[in-house]
Amino acid sequence: MPERLSARAVIETVATGFAEFDYGPVEYSEVDGPISWPGYDEAHAKAAKRTGESESVVCGHGRIGGTEAAVIAFEFGFLGGSMGGRTGDRVEAAFVRARELRLPLVFLIATGGSRMQEGMRALSQLQRVARQIALTREAGLPQIAVLRDPATGGGWATLGAGADVTLALSQAQVGFAGSRVRPPGDAHAYTAEAQYESGHIDAVVEPDELPGVLASWLGLLAGPAATEAPVPPALGRKELPETGWEAVRNARAAERPRAQSYLDHYFDEREEISGDLCGGRDPGVLCGFGKRNGETIAYVTQAGTPTLPSGFRTAARLVSLADRLGLPILTIVDTLGAANDAAAEGSGAGPSIAELFLAVASAKVPITSLVIGEGGSGGALAFAAPGRTWMTPDSYFSVTSPEAAASILKRDPSEVPETANQLRLRPQDVVELGVAQGIAPHVEDSR
């Protein structure tokens, strides 16, 4: 388990110039809380004496890297970092102040959940917190969560999982069920690493890496945004194919540049989100935010494999987040098509593709798309922006693969090359059909 620092100690590791918010007058007339829990006032007083805090959260603002941010840090030593009515007062006030100051928010979470001694008053704070998250989303301000140890119960299920980007410290306990109430079984399922594997968090971070990672994320999400994503130059061949089958073979060539090469060439720095937040990760879909000439651009890329339902959902999540934050988007298309086996169907292939189509269609920010290899059917088209798509010379875009088309038409496999020619899938064909706007200039010609 990671070292359990106090709220102020962890703030000190990531922020400079921290100043606590003024929480306003605090007046409580209840004895032993809203449900008169015997000994609650005494326990509260002992927690305050032991930690030096008057509640289980410390809220304020400070500079993280080069970005001023609002910080909500949980003090686990104060009644297990549990959330009660007074905690909710502070958290709500911090959100309101952050919106007034137009500051991004960072949540440093270490909590066991809702405070038993306050009954349903405590549990209802989750609705209050959720409302503040929603209002802050509407305001277009980034929200980043850091899951410390432990991050369980409502703290995980609101501030943790409800943030735009969720990071977790290595080996932290993360789960809706706390250690004293969960059923016996696989303990690994309740770790940061397991939540990452399941697509529920974006990254697992070592404690000594956290200051740099947080600073990078805040610089990307709260820094200056580009007005649009310029079309990346083509990194592969310069010559256009003469036939459709040549276009297919060029796109499938092992030496053809892939998504990672394009991202490395396009961005000066970047950070990735990971997972669809509902149980899946697709290593063949790379999503995140990058700096190009000091300005932020979001990206969604296919890495050449059949795209899983979780990949479409992760892409839709990225598009929606970038749109909310006002950041332009670059999409890179490269897939034979959507995964279509039984597992993919059971995981929602159709609904997940529809989700991405709708996210792209409803985005208000400009989206630029580049097809760098295979553009296979709807699984590729879902990643492409209507009216803003370009092709590279070693790419193709087709209603379906030549092999699938031949099979559908009951043709002999030997007729696949001719079928490719008939599909008019070459880069220049796609431009002539009006589906793409042009051929991307080669990197040597764009300098």
Side-chain angles (χ1 to χ4, degrees), residues 234-237 251 253-262 334 372-373 394:
L235 302 181
R237 65 178 63 243
E255 67 274 13
R256 189 255 303 162
R258 309 287 162 154
Q260 283 284 11
S261 297
Y262 276 89
D334 185 11
I372 66 168
D394 44 8

Side-chain angles (χ1 to χ4, degrees), residues 173-198:
Q173 179 189 175
V174 180
F176 186 63
S179 59
R180 297 183 183 181
V181 298
R182 68 179 63 133
D186 181 13
H188 177 69
Y190 302 90
T191 64
E193 287 73 10
Q195 298 288 0
Y196 173 77
E197 293 162 8
S198 298

Side-chain angles (χ1 to χ4, degrees), residues 134-152:
L135 290 173
T136 306
R137 286 185 176 187
E138 290 178 7
L141 295 172
Q143 302 174 75
I144 302 175
V146 178
L147 308 178
R148 297 154 59 208
D149 183 57
T152 59

